[in-house]
Amino acid sequence: MTRSLKNPKKSKRKNRSSKKEEASPSSVVPSAPSKVWQPGVDEMEEGEELQFDPSAYNYLRGFNIGWPCLSFDVVQDSLGLVRTEFPHTLYGVAGTQADQQSANYIGIFKLSKITGKKRDLVPASLNNDEEMEDDDSSSSDEDEDMGDTAGGNAPVLQIKKVAHQGCVNRIRSMTQKPHICATWGDTGFVQVWDFSSHLNSLAVSDAPNNRDETVIKQTPIMKFGGHRDEGYAIDWSPVIPGRLISGDCNKCIHLWEPTGDSWKVDSTPFTGHDASVEDLQWSPTEANIFASSSVDGKIAIWDTREGKKPKFIFKAHDADVNVISWNRLASCMIASGSDDGSFSIRDLREIKNDSLVGHFKYHKKPITSVEWSPHEASTLAVSSDDHQLTIWDLSLERDEEEEAEFKAKVKEQVNAPEDLPPQLLFVHQGQKDLKELHWHPQIPGMIISTAADGFNVLMPTNIDVMLPSAAS
């Protein structure tokens, strides 16, 4: 699968307020019965345009770090393990896809003063009428200050840039030591970096938006050139700090073992796939187990203690398996996304039998990213080349009686298609060529996504009910 962004152009800072202003409170209410528009199914007639509904988000904001980024990662911080109240702050690292090899860099960024709609710990439907009226009146001022969703105050973006040799195919921050990051470059090198000084500088700075174009030259603390081709697959172990795996387009996977301040990379690779290794995921609970996906349509499960061949390998899709995600809250579940637009869920306890739990064909183009929620075991997010980011809750099932009651209440004001999967919670659009998404591990309900035209930070309104209460 071709992963690079086509004809990358340096992203321009766009004034999105004009579009958001069109979706003012008065324009959100349709003059005629509204219709759910399905990308890839419905066509736009001449003179028609899609309207953005700010009520669908607690927060939505776009930003960029210069050149488009194929990959990024959220950097875990010390601001709190579960943060539910605005304002929010997030840290991240991202690698660019510049039009010239020498122009690439790693962006270490901080987005602070993220202000949005205050969420209710208890769903509104469970409150009594009096409480609901009080909430509505008290939150009216807050609704006017919800970032891009209502043309409110913009967050503060600060960036540090570190030169990188070639485009960054993938970047990952170590969970246990978030300032340590690994990059896969299109030059064929895997490098490990220490960004502690840059992150510390951002942490103590309260400066306004800082888009310093200075690119710092920094030497990586480790550089491995033993792969015979470039690659995209890389993952840090969540169990053993510093343990790393990297996979390439030449079907090989190398294991990295930490040795003090450096790493020893096993020169003998794991082999078993018939084509490029596209993604790697360590088990969230077992130190020696990892999974891989490949262009050969297969997923393999490996045990580092049992030689260089897979313990299990099975056909997962009829096309390339671009991405996989191992559920950290339900470690028996693994999700995979394919080049044919489908994604699947499998129960690894049934790997010798029929492990397929669910198979979804909603998206019309290749799946580019899939990730389980770190706060809700049955929820995952998916991005696709069809310019959509979707959120799914696999615990949901169709309830015909409930649907009939809802339709009667709204008196057919919402004409939803009959064939929408009941597990589909949310569809986010507006980004071109979506490439990767991540849930924020410390801010429930927040997703960051990267695309050809920059980043989005979004917090959909309808997943509030899944967030933990203050007492939990």
Side-chain angles (χ1 to χ4, degrees):
M1 176 189 175
T2 302
R3 297 293 190 93
S4 61
L5 291 163
K6 297 179 180 179
N7 300 319
K9 296 180 180 179
K10 200 156 190 179
S11 300
K12 297 180 180 179
R13 299 188 68 183
K14 298 178 180 179
N15 184 357
R16 296 175 178 266
S17 61
S18 60
K19 183 177 181 181
K20 307 310 175 192
E21 286 167 2
E22 291 175 4
S24 62
S26 60
S27 64
V28 169
V29 181
S31 57
S34 59
K35 177 185 177 182
V36 176
W37 187 80
Q38 299 182 84
V41 177
D42 299 328
E43 295 183 358
M44 299 285 290
E45 296 182 7
E46 187 177 352
E48 283 189 327
E49 64 177 23
L50 295 176
Q51 290 291 325
F52 164 77
D53 185 356
S55 68
Y57 298 89
N58 283 342
Y59 184 79
L60 175 61
R61 168 69 64 171
F63 71 96
N64 71 78
I65 67 165
W67 293 106
C69 298
L70 181 66
S71 181
F72 78 100
D73 204 6
V74 176
V75 175
Q76 296 198 42
D77 55 55
S78 58
L79 300 177
L81 293 178
V82 180
R83 310 201 292 270
T84 59
E85 300 300 328
F86 290 104
H88 288 304
T89 296
L90 69 87
Y91 294 83
V93 287
T96 63
Q97 297 274 311
D99 60 354
Q100 297 179 358
Q101 291 280 62
S102 60
N104 283 290
Y105 53 82
I106 300 166
I108 303 102
F109 61 88
K110 172 187 176 183
L111 197 66
S112 59
K113 298 184 179 179
I114 298 172
T115 57
K117 288 193 295 186
K118 182 178 180 180
R119 69 176 186 83
D120 296 320
L121 290 175
V122 180
S125 60
L126 300 182
N127 293 329
N128 60 43
D129 293 340
E130 183 178 351
E131 289 174 332
M132 289 177 66
E133 289 176 2
D134 290 341
D135 289 343
D136 289 341
S137 61
S138 63
S139 64
S140 59
D141 292 336
E142 292 171 350
D143 288 349
E144 293 298 318
D145 185 22
M146 49 187 288
D148 243 9
T149 53
N153 297 331
V156 175
L157 175 64
Q158 297 171 269
I159 307 171
K160 301 288 184 180
K161 298 178 179 180
V162 172
H164 187 272
Q165 182 182 0
C167 297
V168 178
N169 290 346
R170 189 156 291 175
I171 185 168
R172 290 292 181 264
S173 167
M174 189 195 304
T175 303
Q176 302 89 344
K177 298 178 180 179
H179 59 282
I180 303 296
C181 298
T183 58
W184 234 131
D186 67 354
T187 54
F189 292 101
V190 180
Q191 301 177 85
V192 180
W193 307 80
D194 184 347
F195 294 141
S196 55
S197 62
H198 309 302
L199 288 166
N200 289 337
S201 175
L202 291 174
V204 299
S205 174
D206 289 325
N209 286 1
N210 182 0
R211 300 186 65 87
D212 186 356
E213 296 301 323
T214 303
V215 179
I216 303 165
K217 291 185 177 180
Q218 178 176 329
T219 302
I221 57 178
M222 177 73 182
K223 184 176 183 179
F224 176 64
H227 283 283
R228 296 181 181 179
D229 200 351
E230 68 172 307
Y232 299 86
I234 195 168
D235 195 36
W236 293 103
S237 169
V239 179
I240 298 182
R243 180 175 277 186
L244 182 72
I245 41 175
S246 55
D248 60 38
C249 297
N250 194 43
K251 306 176 285 189
C252 295
I253 302 168
H254 287 273
L255 175 65
W256 301 47
E257 293 287 8
T259 57
D261 294 331
S262 188
W263 285 262
K264 179 181 180 181
V265 185
D266 193 337
S267 59
T268 305
F270 294 88
T271 57
H273 283 294
D274 300 321
S276 170
V277 176
E278 295 291 279
D279 205 1
L280 290 164
Q281 285 272 284
W282 282 103
S283 164
T285 57
E286 299 183 63
N288 299 295
I289 306 297
F290 69 89
S292 62
S293 68
S294 170
V295 168
D296 62 15
K298 298 175 183 177
I299 292 175
I301 307 297
W302 311 74
D303 189 330
T304 60
R305 300 163 297 187
E306 298 185 11
K308 302 297 183 178
K309 296 297 180 181
K311 188 176 181 66
F312 301 103
I313 188 165
F314 55 91
K315 190 74 172 178
H317 292 270
D318 293 329
D320 307 8
V321 186
N322 298 329
V323 285
I324 52 176
S325 178
W326 206 317
N327 194 324
R328 297 199 175 193
L329 298 181
S331 60
C332 60
M333 296 293 175
I334 193 166
S336 58
S338 173
D339 221 37
D340 63 9
S342 68
F343 69 94
S344 298
I345 315 298
R346 282 181 165 79
D347 186 340
L348 296 178
R349 294 171 299 183
E350 303 295 332
I351 196 169
K352 294 182 179 180
N353 304 306
D354 183 10
S355 62
L356 188 64
V357 174
H359 184 71
F360 299 87
K361 294 184 176 181
Y362 170 82
H363 288 283
K364 309 303 179 185
K365 291 188 177 181
I367 302 299
T368 57
S369 187
V370 60
E371 187 169 285
W372 291 99
S373 166
H375 299 102
E376 181 65 37
S378 63
T379 302
L380 77 162
V382 180
S383 68
S384 169
D385 270 343
D386 63 8
H387 317 307
Q388 295 184 79
L389 186 158
T390 54
I391 303 174
W392 303 74
D393 184 351
L394 303 183
S395 67
L396 298 178
E397 296 180 358
R398 174 156 276 130
D399 187 323
E400 294 183 1
E401 288 188 11
E402 190 175 88
E403 286 184 1
E405 289 179 8
F406 176 76
K407 193 171 183 179
K409 285 182 180 179
V410 299
K411 298 180 181 177
E412 300 187 357
Q413 288 180 4
V414 177
N415 302 306
E418 297 293 332
D419 58 348
L420 282 181
Q423 297 86 359
L424 180 59
L425 278 182
F426 195 86
V427 177
H428 172 68
Q429 298 178 73
Q431 289 181 277
K432 182 180 179 182
D433 296 331
L434 277 152
K435 293 301 179 185
E436 191 169 88
L437 67 86
H438 293 295
W439 297 85
H440 197 294
Q442 297 165 272
I443 305 177
M446 176 180 282
I447 294 176
I448 305 98
S449 56
T450 185
D453 52 359
F455 291 85
N456 272 189
V457 181
L458 57 140
M459 299 181 73
T461 303
N462 69 333
I463 62 172
D464 280 355
V465 294
M466 296 185 288
L467 305 186
S469 66
S472 64

